[in-house]
Amino acid sequence: MLVYENTKSGFLDDVLEGQLVPEIKQGYESQGIGMGGPGEVKAWKNSLQYMHTVLSGSAVPGDAGVAIEFKIPLTSRRIDFLVSGYDETENANVVIVELKQWDGDSTDAVEAKDGIVKTALGGGIRETTHPSYQAVSYAQLLKDFNISIREKPITLHPLAYLHNFEPQYREVLDNDHYQPYTEQAPLYVRGDTKKLRAFLESQIEVGDDRENLYEM
């Protein structure tokens, strides 16, 4: 299930014209599910403005695919943001972006547990999965459940983007304890816009007009 799908150019236009959140709401309604309360809407507006900034100044082609809230089949898991296309050697690529609004001051490592951190959630400090762990697990679920990914093949590139996370706290999440996950799904924090943009440009050099998203 895709709640929202467009090209990069279409996504950028929807943000500039104030149509993105209405489009996402319509996508939820068409699937017969609710989007959530005002807090969730505010979170989407915030995070997607950051993705607009990353993509708007990039060399990622205008006809690259963009998807928001991709529900992984046979699970309740939803991927926040995807970008699809081809690299310079015509390999099919999809970048999986796990978006978080966390800040570094309220986030700590939980070294006694695998892939677990604690941060401000639901009005308190709670344990949850590491963003890179989440992104890696989503990629693995897609590979397990989707034969098209294996047969074409489509290469998945998971990553986590914590756009509010202050860089001085990076070591909390980007350290040896979490290395098995951050190596597979790099962690980008506030101030990493150019680095994230460069990564997307390296994987999505030719647009696919959403072809790889539809195949998934």
Side-chain angles (χ1 to χ4, degrees), residues 35-209:
M35 181 175 177
E40 185 173 354
V41 174
K42 183 178 180 181
W44 271 118
K45 288 181 178 178
N46 187 18
S47 291
L48 294 173
Q49 284 288 348
Y50 279 93
M51 288 308 303
H52 176 273
T53 299
V54 171
L55 287 171
S56 63
S58 76
V60 173
D63 61 343
V66 167
I68 296 169
E69 288 287 283
F70 177 92
K71 185 178 181 298
I72 301 174
L74 305 179
T75 77
S76 60
R77 311 286 183 84
R78 296 201 300 262
I79 298 173
D80 291 336
F81 199 92
L82 301 105
V83 186
S84 67
Y86 296 90
D87 62 22
E88 63 178 356
T89 57
E90 300 184 354
N91 295 307
N93 289 325
V94 173
V95 179
I96 293 172
V97 183
E98 175 66 20
L99 294 166
K100 297 293 185 189
Q101 299 198 74
W102 301 357
D103 63 77
D105 187 53
S106 59
T107 304
D108 284 305
V110 180
E111 297 194 359
K113 297 180 180 180
D114 181 38
I116 297 297
V117 300
K118 56 183 179 180
T119 193
L121 291 173
I125 302 297
R126 307 182 190 281
E127 292 187 355
T128 187
T129 49
H130 188 289
S132 294
Y133 179 96
Q134 278 187 265
V136 169
S137 67
Y138 293 164
Q140 189 59 54
L141 282 169
L142 282 172
K143 292 174 186 175
D144 290 343
F145 287 123
N146 195 311
I147 194 169
S148 297
I149 292 173
R150 300 193 299 272
E151 288 187 344
K152 186 169 183 175
I154 298 172
T155 303
L156 304 178
H157 300 275
L159 62 88
Y161 184 28
L162 284 67
H163 47 77
N164 295 333
F165 201 91
E166 300 86 349
Q168 64 266 32
Y169 297 106
R170 180 190 292 272
E171 181 63 20
V172 171
L173 296 180
D174 200 359
N175 59 56
D176 290 346
H177 181 66
Y178 300 116
Q179 187 177 6
Y181 310 113
T182 56
E183 280 188 345
Q184 298 178 72
L187 194 72
Y188 296 86
V189 300
R190 193 172 75 187
D192 285 344
T193 301
K194 289 183 178 180
K195 292 180 181 178
L196 176 52
R197 182 182 294 161
F199 178 77
L200 292 175
E201 290 171 341
S202 71
Q203 303 302 326
I204 312 294
E205 299 188 55
V206 178
D208 66 346
D209 195 22

Side-chain angles (χ1 to χ4, degrees), residues 12-20:
L12 297 180
D13 287 345
D14 281 346
V15 174
L16 288 176
E17 295 169 4
Q19 293 301 310
L20 183 62

